[in-house]
Amino acid sequence: MEQRTWRWTDAHFFSLPSQTSIYGCTKILNNINGTNKLLVSSLVGRFFTVEYQRIFDKLTPTTKEVQFTYIPGESEIVSVDAANKYRHDTNLTIGITFWKLEENECKQFLHTYSAAQHGEEFNMENVAQGCQSLELSFMPFHLTHTDLVVGNYMESVFLLSGSDSKIHVYREVGYRHSYKEANCEEFFPEFKDIPSIVIWLDILYYYDNKRRITVTGHQDGVLKVSIVDVTKREILQSFSVEFDNPITYVETFSLYNKVSRPSFLPQSEDKEDDEDDFMPVLNILVLSALIPATVYRDVLHNGLRDPLFLPDSNKFDAVLTGCIIDIDFDGENEILIGTYGQEVLAYKLKAPVSTLVHSYSVPETDSCMMSASIDSKLRHRSGDGDLSTTPRLESHASRRVKSQENLSSSVSSETDYIPLSSSKDTVILNNHSSGGGRNNVASASYQLIWQRSFACPVMGINRLDIMGDGMEDLVIVTLKGLHILQPDLNEVAKVCVERLRLLADKVSSDDKDDVNCDKNTSDESKINDKNKTLTCVDDVSSQDIPNNVTQSET
Amino acid sequence: MWRTVSFVERVEVEFCGNVFNEAIVLGDFDNDKGNELAVGNVDGLLSVFKGRGHKPWRKCSNLGMITCVGVGDLFNRGKNNLYCLTAEGWFYVFDVKNDCQGDLVKQSHDDELCGDNLKPLFKQHLPPNGKVMQAADVDCDGKLELAMGYSDRVIRLYKWNGTVDADQEPHGSMVQIDKWQLAGQIGSITLNKDKDGKSELLASQPGGTYVTLLHNPITHDIVDGLSESTPDNLIYDPLVSSEIRNMSISTEIVGNIRKGPGPVQENESDVLYALCTLDGTLVLVESGRRILWSLQVDHQLFSLNKLDVTGNGKEEVVCCSWDGQTYIVNHGREAVRYQFGDNVAAFTAGYYAVNTVDNVPCFVYATFNNRIFIYYNISLPQVESTNLIEVMDKYEDTHKLLAKLNIKSPSNQQLQELYHWCLYGWKNK
C-alpha cells in the first residue's frame, strides 16, 4: 500500500471551564441542513456547543454556552445525549442526567429538552427552554439512545444505565415533550437480569433493522453480547466474558464503511457490494481499564472466540474511550483508543485481505454455539468445550493462569500474555473449527500506526463532520478541553482528486467493463488477494487500473 | 472566534533565575548544523542546552547581569560563536566546542559554580547598560557588525578589529564605528532589507513607531543628544496607525519577514516587517511603509518573532504575551492562538535540533519558575481554518473533473456528499 503519512493536527482547541467526564460529550446532527455540532458539558453544569460557521465568508470555529433551564447551580452533570427522534416528526431531543444534594440527600434527575416551536428544532436556545424533568431513584450512568422498532415505524428511545444494575428505557409519550419510563424487558429482552452496573452500552441494528446486536460493558468486568431478533423480540444468541477490570467502552463495528453513491453521479453498472446483510462481519471493540484493548472479530460467526489485542494499548494508564474511524482513507476503519495517560493510539488491522473478506460459505462454525438460541452464558461459566476458552482468557491470564486449557488465543502481539505451549492445541483447534479460507486468521494483528499525546487525560473520541465538508473530523475530548483534529487537507484533496479522476475517466470512456478502481491497494500481493476474493472483479482491468494509479501517485 | 491550538510535545529544561527576553537564543553554537538553545540569566549564568537534555550541556557562571545573548560569526573565520553582553558592560565571546574541554570538567562536580565547562574565549569591557543587541552586516563588507542598544537611548555599532591566530585565539578588540542618538527608549533592533536589497537596521520606538538607522561612515560626526533637530543619520517613521492607543507604550520590531517560498536571494528586497506593542497592537508593514494589516488583542505583547510554522516558505509573525498567550499570524491576517500554561519571562521562536541533528520549528518559553519549555512539534498545515471543500476548490483539476462528471455549480451539500463518498465509500463502488 502506498505509504501516505497522515498526520492529524489541531484544527481548533476549545478549553473547558471545568472538567468533563466520559459521558460528557454528544454529537448533534442536524439532518435538515447537514451541519453538525458538538455539545459538551462540564461537571459544574455548564454546557457548550462547538461548531463551524461562515463569518465574512471565512470558516470560523464558534463556541456558544447553552443555558439549559431548570438545572440547579449546585448540581453535577453525569451524562448528556442528543437524539433525533422521528416518531412524530424530525426533532432533536437532548437528555441530561445530573445529581445534586438536597438536605444531605442525593437526588438524581433526567431532564429532556426539545424545542417547542416548529422550525426551531435545532435552535439550541429554543431547545434548552423546553424542559421535562424526571426524578430518578438511582444514580445515572451512561445515557444513550437507540431506535425502537415497533411494527413498521421506528422511534428514538433513551437508554440509561443506573446504579441499580438496570437499563432504563425512556419512551416518548403523547404527541410531544414528555418521556416516560417504559418496560424495558418488553422491547429489550436482553436487558433482563443484568448482573451489575453497566458502564457503557452499544446497540447496532443490522439486517434491515430486523436484528440487533447489543453489547454491555459492566463495572465488574463482565461483557455481555446479545444478538436479538427485533421483530420477535427474542434473544437468538448471547455471549458473556469476564474481564478483570471495569469495562469502560464497547462498540460494535464493521471494518468497512457503507456509503451510498450520491444520486447525482452517473450510476455505475457495478454490482452493488454483495455484502451479506443477514450475517455481516461485525467486530466488537472492548476496552477494559487496565488491560490491552480487545477486538472480538466477526462475532456473528465466531462468537467471542476470535479475539485480537491491540498491542501496548495498556501502557498509558487506564483505557477510557475508543472510536472507529477511517483515518487514512483507504476504506478500512481504524481503531482509536483514548487513555487516561493522555494518549490517543490508532491501530490498523494488518492482515492478508483474504482473511477479512472471507467468503460466507464458511460452514456455521460451531454447531453447538450457532444453534444456541438460548442464553449460552451458562455454558460459558461451566467451561464447556472451546466455547469458554477464549473469552475467559483475559480474566485468567491477567490474574495468573489457573487452568491452562483456557489460554487459547495465544495473543501473538501482546507480550504481556505469553501463551503457554499447551495453548497451541487450542489455536489449531480454533482454526480447524472455523473452516477453510481462514487459516490466516492467526496472522492477523493490529498494529499501532499513529499516536498523539494530549495535555490532559482523554475522555472521549468522536468522529464528526463538524466542518461540513464530507470528511469526518476527529473530536477528542480531554479532561480540560476539546480538540478538533484534521489531517493535512492538501493530502486529502489529492486523494479526492485522484478518485474523481478515476471516476471521470470511467464515465467518459463509456466502458462497460466493471473496473475495480481500488487504487489504494497498489501493493501487488494485496491486489492479487483482492482479485481472488472479490467475485465481481474482471481480472484484467483490475490489474491494470491500480498499477496506473501507482504511477500517478508516486 | 479565534482558532486555537494546543501543543503538547516539549522538552523541559531546568534553568534558575530571571531571564531577559533578549537573553534567550536558538542557534548553532558548536557548528554541527544542529541548533542549540542558549540562555543567560541576571545572576551571570550562561547555559547551553542541546537535544533532549534536561541539564545544561555547557555552562559558564559569574559573568554578571546578562542582558543579551547572540550567535554569529563575529571573528569572520567561518564559524559561529556564542556571545553575550552584560549590564555591567562586559562583552564575552565563547567558542562552544562539540567535545568537552577536559580540563574544565575535571573540576569538582558537587559545587554548582565550579561545574563550568565553558569559558570565554574573549572578553572586553564596553559601555554599560546595553539591553538589546543585533548582529548585522550593515556596511556590506561581508563581515558582521554588532549593533547594541543602550538604556540611555543610544545605539552603538561595533566591529571586530583584529586577527585570530592559528590557535584560534583572537587578538584585537571590538571597535565602535557608528553611533545613533534616539529620541525614545529602544525596544528592539532588527535587520531589514531596503528597496535595493541592502541590509538596514531598524530600531523600535515607543508608541508603535520605529527609526531607520542610516550607516554612513564618511560623515562621522557624533550628534549631540540634546539638540532639538532630528539627527540626519536617522529616519523617523511615525507609521501612522489609528490603532495605536498609547504613544509611550513600549514596542518591539522584527524585520526580514519572508514573503514567499524559494531559496533566500542575495538582494531580496521584498520583505515585510512587523511591530507589536505592549498594549496589544500587532502591525505588519510592507516595504514602502504601507501597513498591510493591524490586529488588536487583549494581551500584553512583549516578544515578537518570525517563524515559518506552516512550512510553506512564508514566515509567520509569532507574538507572545506575558501571560503565555501566543499568536501565530500569517500575511493575510489569519491567526492561530496557543495558550501556554504559565507566565512567560522570555520567549523565542526558531529552529532547534531535538534529536541534536535535525532542526525543527520550536517555541521556547522561559517561565518564572526555574523552567524553560521547548515545544518542538508545532508545525501546522495552515494558519486559517479551512475545510476540504475550500481546499478542493483551489485545485484546477477539481472543476474540470466535476464538469466531466456533469456536476454543474454544485451546492455545498452536494460536494459534501460527493467527497464523503469519495473518501469513505470508495470500496463499495
Side-chain angles (χ1 to χ4, degrees):
Chain A
M1 180 176 303
E2 155 122 21
Q3 283 303 312
R4 272 181 203 277
T5 48
W6 295 102
R7 182 168 165 259
W8 289 64
T9 48
D10 273 27
H12 185 56
F13 170 71
F14 165 64
S15 114
L16 281 168
S18 80
Q19 65 173 35
T20 181
S21 73
I22 57 168
Y23 304 133
C25 185
T26 184
K27 303 176 209 180
I28 297 174
L29 309 175
N30 183 340
N31 40 21
I32 292 176
N33 65 4
T35 58
N36 303 319
K37 51 187 158 192
L38 219 74
L39 176 69
V40 58
S41 78
S42 71
L43 221 53
V44 294
R46 293 177 70 186
F47 295 86
F48 301 89
T49 57
V50 182
E51 65 188 308
Y52 273 83
Q53 288 182 333
R54 286 211 163 264
I55 298 172
F56 301 119
D57 205 37
K58 277 191 176 171
L59 200 67
T60 316
T62 46
T63 313
K64 280 185 207 142
E65 181 160 6
V66 184
Q67 303 281 354
F68 285 102
T69 47
Y70 304 115
I71 292 183
E74 65 276 19
S75 53
E76 241 179 61
I77 307 299
V78 180
S79 42
V80 289
D81 187 44
N84 290 345
K85 62 175 176 179
Y86 34 85
R87 183 174 175 186
H88 301 292
D89 54 33
T90 307
N91 204 338
L92 173 76
T93 310
I94 289 170
I96 295 168
T97 63
F98 61 93
W99 62 273
K100 61 170 192 152
L101 278 177
E102 238 172 47
E103 291 150 8
N104 288 330
E105 203 186 336
C106 189
K107 289 198 168 176
Q108 308 87 20
F109 297 91
L110 166 67
H111 280 189
T112 55
Y113 295 87
S114 53
Q117 283 163 280
H118 194 72
E120 298 287 331
E121 282 86 355
F122 291 94
N123 182 343
M124 288 306 288
E125 274 82 41
N126 225 301
V127 171
Q129 301 300 316
C131 173
Q132 196 229 336
S133 179
L134 284 169
E135 192 168 344
L136 307 174
S137 58
F138 53 89
M139 185 55 96
F141 277 75
H142 187 202
L143 178 68
T144 183
H145 65 275
T146 190
D147 299 327
L148 185 65
V149 184
V150 184
N152 280 332
Y153 67 95
M154 303 210 312
E155 62 177 279
S156 276
V157 289
F158 279 113
L159 299 177
L160 176 62
S161 68
S163 58
D164 54 357
S165 301
K166 279 185 186 143
I167 308 273
H168 302 264
V169 178
Y170 295 92
R171 201 177 164 196
E172 194 185 10
V173 287
Y175 181 58
R176 251 181 198 203
H177 287 323
S178 71
Y179 274 80
K180 217 177 131 186
E181 183 161 1
N183 180 9
C184 88
E185 287 163 21
E186 182 189 345
F187 301 106
F188 297 94
E190 65 267 40
F191 292 150
K192 204 174 164 185
D193 298 329
I194 284 177
S196 51
I197 298 172
V198 173
I199 292 190
W200 200 275
L201 96 107
D202 183 71
I203 293 178
L204 182 83
Y205 282 84
Y206 64 96
Y207 189 35
D208 206 15
N209 289 325
K210 292 192 191 72
R211 294 275 170 90
R212 73 164 168 259
I213 178 162
T214 305
V215 188
T216 49
H218 298 245
Q219 196 173 39
D220 59 357
V222 169
L223 172 78
K224 265 186 76 173
V225 180
S226 311
I227 297 159
V228 182
D229 186 319
V230 176
T231 38
K232 289 183 193 155
R233 289 181 194 161
E234 63 181 32
I235 301 173
L236 299 176
Q237 276 178 291
S238 78
F239 314 103
S240 136
V241 199
E242 206 172 313
F243 287 74
D244 246 11
N245 288 284
I247 290 174
T248 49
Y249 186 83
V250 292
E251 184 171 351
T252 310
F253 67 98
S254 160
L255 194 58
Y256 303 103
N257 287 306
K258 247 190 179 173
V259 182
S260 51
R261 195 182 167 97
S263 52
F264 50 83
L265 277 184
Q267 284 311 306
S268 127
E269 296 90 9
D270 288 354
K271 256 198 293 181
E272 275 301 305
D273 211 12
D274 55 345
E275 197 177 316
D276 192 343
D277 283 335
F278 181 61
M279 290 289 258
V281 182
L282 295 176
N283 314 295
I284 298 179
L285 169 69
V286 182
L287 305 183
S288 176
L290 294 172
I291 65 168
T294 314
V295 176
Y296 290 105
R297 297 207 296 153
D298 198 1
V299 215
L300 296 185
H301 293 95
N302 295 344
L304 303 181
R305 285 175 308 153
D306 189 6
L308 274 183
F309 297 87
L310 309 190
D312 296 333
S313 53
N314 59 337
K315 299 281 161 66
F316 301 95
D317 211 331
V319 184
L320 288 184
T321 183
C323 181
I324 308 296
I325 180 176
D326 184 8
I327 57 165
D328 54 5
F329 310 106
D330 66 344
E332 282 180 19
N333 278 321
E334 283 76 48
I335 297 178
L336 265 60
I337 304 289
T339 70
Y340 197 82
Q342 309 177 5
E343 292 286 326
V344 166
L345 314 165
Y347 289 89
K348 188 174 187 61
L349 186 66
K350 302 272 179 173
V353 181
S354 59
T355 63
L356 304 175
V357 196
H358 60 73
S359 57
Y360 296 103
S361 59
V362 172
E364 303 254 307
T365 52
D366 194 18
S367 56
C368 78
M369 188 183 85
M370 295 306 287
S371 60
S373 62
I374 45 161
D375 192 359
S376 65
K377 189 173 140 193
L378 288 173
R379 271 173 218 216
H380 261 247
R381 287 279 154 92
S382 63
D384 175 29
D386 65 344
L387 234 179
S388 65
T389 52
T390 315
R392 306 200 75 179
L393 166 81
E394 295 79 27
S395 51
H396 284 230
S398 54
R399 280 183 218 128
R400 201 159 19 92
V401 180
K402 276 186 191 162
S403 60
Q404 299 190 345
E405 56 161 23
N406 289 338
L407 281 175
S408 66
S409 71
S410 81
V411 201
S412 55
S413 51
E414 178 47 58
T415 47
D416 275 7
Y417 298 95
I418 298 162
L420 300 182
S421 56
S422 66
S423 66
K424 273 184 183 165
D425 301 354
T426 344
V427 171
I428 293 165
L429 187 94
N430 257 357
N431 277 345
H432 275 280
S433 66
S434 54
R438 292 206 286 137
N439 289 325
N440 289 330
V441 167
S443 67
S445 66
Y446 274 98
Q447 281 177 21
L448 186 67
I449 56 161
W450 180 66
Q451 178 175 1
R452 196 189 139 155
S453 308
F454 289 86
C456 285
V458 179
M459 289 285 137
I461 308 176
N462 297 281
R463 53 186 269 192
L464 179 69
D465 179 11
I466 199 166
M467 307 260 187
D469 57 0
M471 189 192 71
E472 283 181 328
D473 309 288
L474 270 177
V475 184
I476 312 275
V477 185
T478 68
L479 212 52
K480 283 195 186 151
L482 204 133
H483 301 253
I484 296 167
L485 304 191
Q486 256 183 342
D488 189 337
L489 289 174
N490 282 311
E491 291 293 311
V492 183
K494 276 181 203 157
V495 170
C496 234
V497 167
E498 276 164 22
R499 292 181 184 177
L500 285 179
R501 184 173 292 127
L502 284 173
L503 195 68
D505 287 350
K506 193 160 167 259
V507 168
S508 61
S509 70
D510 214 14
D511 192 355
K512 291 235 161 65
D513 284 351
D514 293 337
V515 181
N516 175 19
C517 293
D518 193 352
K519 46 173 270 325
N520 274 306
T521 45
S522 45
D523 185 320
E524 275 292 332
S525 66
K526 287 214 167 172
I527 292 164
N528 290 336
D529 278 335
K530 264 245 156 64
N531 292 342
K532 282 177 205 156
T533 50
L534 293 177
T535 49
C536 60
V537 166
D538 180 333
D539 250 72
V540 182
S541 55
S542 66
Q543 289 270 7
D544 285 345
I545 294 296
N547 285 343
N548 290 341
V549 174
T550 319
Q551 282 159 14
S552 68
E553 274 180 357
T554 43
Chain B
M1 202 178 131
W2 298 76
R3 179 184 169 200
T4 312
V5 292
S6 142
F7 300 127
V8 178
E9 279 117 317
R10 64 187 188 187
V11 178
E12 183 180 342
V13 301
E14 286 172 32
F15 189 73
C16 299
N18 282 343
V19 184
F20 283 107
N21 191 45
E22 298 276 336
I24 184 163
V25 69
L26 290 162
D28 181 16
F29 312 119
D30 58 355
N31 300 291
D32 66 348
K33 305 269 194 303
N35 280 6
E36 292 87 34
L37 171 72
V39 197
N41 70 8
V42 294
D43 307 317
L45 174 67
L46 179 72
S47 295
V48 181
F49 297 92
K50 191 181 174 86
R52 289 178 185 275
H54 298 281
K55 300 273 181 196
W57 177 60
R58 295 281 183 273
K59 67 174 182 177
C60 184
S61 46
N62 284 332
L63 295 173
M65 184 179 180
I66 299 171
T67 53
C68 316
V69 180
V71 59
D73 181 16
L74 215 56
F75 298 140
N76 307 306
R77 52 180 186 155
K79 272 174 83 178
N80 275 343
N81 284 103
L82 174 66
Y83 50 83
C84 72
L85 181 69
T86 70
E88 294 86 350
W90 281 104
F91 178 69
Y92 298 96
V93 183
F94 300 88
D95 197 7
V96 184
K97 292 205 173 71
N98 219 328
D99 51 333
C100 222
Q101 293 123 312
D103 51 337
L104 281 164
V105 180
K106 265 187 283 177
Q107 295 168 4
S108 76
H109 280 280
D110 11 57
D111 192 348
E112 274 292 307
L113 293 176
C114 294
D116 289 5
N117 50 12
L118 189 66
K119 66 173 183 187
L121 183 70
F122 168 81
K123 68 176 181 180
Q124 183 180 352
H125 198 249
L126 299 172
N129 295 324
K131 56 176 228 173
V132 291
M133 186 162 64
Q134 172 71 48
D137 180 16
V138 185
D139 53 7
C140 297
D141 62 350
K143 294 172 183 172
L144 272 191
E145 290 88 46
L146 263 186
M148 294 183 192
Y150 293 83
S151 55
D152 57 356
R153 309 172 193 178
V154 171
I155 294 174
R156 294 186 176 89
L157 188 68
Y158 292 93
K159 189 171 193 171
W160 170 251
N161 185 8
T163 54
V164 180
D165 67 14
D167 299 332
Q168 301 286 318
E169 287 288 326
H171 299 284
S173 63
M174 300 296 288
V175 182
Q176 182 181 331
I177 56 169
D178 207 343
K179 179 185 171 182
W180 297 271
Q181 177 73 49
L182 274 65
Q185 276 291 346
I186 299 152
S188 53
I189 308 174
T190 189
L191 198 60
N192 200 45
K193 296 266 171 63
D194 64 8
K195 292 187 292 292
D196 312 322
K198 263 181 70 186
S199 286
E200 59 181 2
L201 283 171
L202 309 179
S204 65
Q205 291 285 278
T209 60
Y210 69 96
V211 290
T212 309
L213 310 175
L214 300 177
H215 175 58
N216 197 344
I218 305 156
T219 57
H220 210 279
D221 50 331
I222 307 292
V223 187
D224 180 15
L226 298 171
S227 81
E228 284 296 306
S229 63
T230 315
D232 60 356
N233 58 351
L234 293 175
I235 302 172
Y236 181 73
D237 193 339
L239 201 70
V240 181
S241 167
S242 56
E243 309 274 359
I244 300 298
R245 291 165 284 197
N246 181 349
M247 287 317 287
S248 58
I249 197 78
S250 67
T251 305
E252 300 287 315
I253 189 167
V254 67
N256 269 352
I257 299 172
R258 299 197 58 217
K259 268 171 108 174
V264 187
Q265 276 139 32
E266 190 60 33
N267 288 325
E268 190 176 352
S269 61
D270 208 11
V271 291
L272 307 170
Y273 51 99
L275 291 102
C276 76
T277 64
L278 198 61
D279 59 357
T281 308
L282 186 61
V283 189
L284 187 70
V285 192
E286 206 175 29
S287 59
R289 296 171 194 174
R290 197 169 70 88
I291 295 178
L292 283 180
W293 48 254
S294 72
L295 200 65
Q296 289 284 344
V297 299
D298 294 334
H299 294 266
Q300 296 187 301
L301 305 174
F302 80 101
S303 181
L304 185 63
N305 290 272
K306 51 171 186 163
L307 183 67
D308 183 9
V309 176
T310 55
N312 62 357
K314 293 180 186 176
E315 281 175 324
E316 279 80 38
V317 180
V318 181
C319 202
C320 184
S321 75
W322 291 120
D323 59 358
Q325 186 81 255
T326 313
Y327 297 87
I328 306 163
V329 193
N330 70 5
H331 302 178
R333 201 174 176 265
E334 286 146 332
V336 186
R337 286 184 310 176
Y338 165 64
Q339 177 66 53
F340 176 69
D342 204 346
N343 288 336
V344 182
F347 169 81
T348 189
Y351 293 90
Y352 182 74
V354 184
N355 59 3
T356 71
V357 181
D358 304 312
N359 288 333
V360 292
C362 283
F363 289 167
V364 183
Y365 296 89
T367 68
F368 293 97
N369 303 321
N370 304 333
R371 289 280 185 281
I372 295 172
F373 296 94
I374 306 165
Y375 284 83
Y376 55 83
N377 195 359
I378 57 154
S379 55
L380 301 166
Q382 74 276 327
V383 170
E384 69 276 12
S385 288
T386 186
N387 67 12
L388 186 60
I389 292 175
E390 288 180 350
V391 174
M392 287 289 281
D393 196 52
K394 286 180 199 147
Y395 281 79
E396 240 177 71
D397 285 358
T398 310
H399 301 285
K400 283 188 209 154
L401 290 168
L402 288 179
K404 230 173 165 182
L405 289 167
N406 216 9
I407 303 168
K408 290 182 189 93
S409 56
S411 68
N412 253 13
Q413 278 191 42
Q414 270 182 316
L415 287 176
Q416 192 177 354
E417 194 184 343
L418 177 68
Y419 295 155
H420 184 76
W421 176 76
C422 262
L423 292 173
Y424 303 104
W426 193 247
K427 277 220 160 161
N428 292 347
K429 222 172 77 67

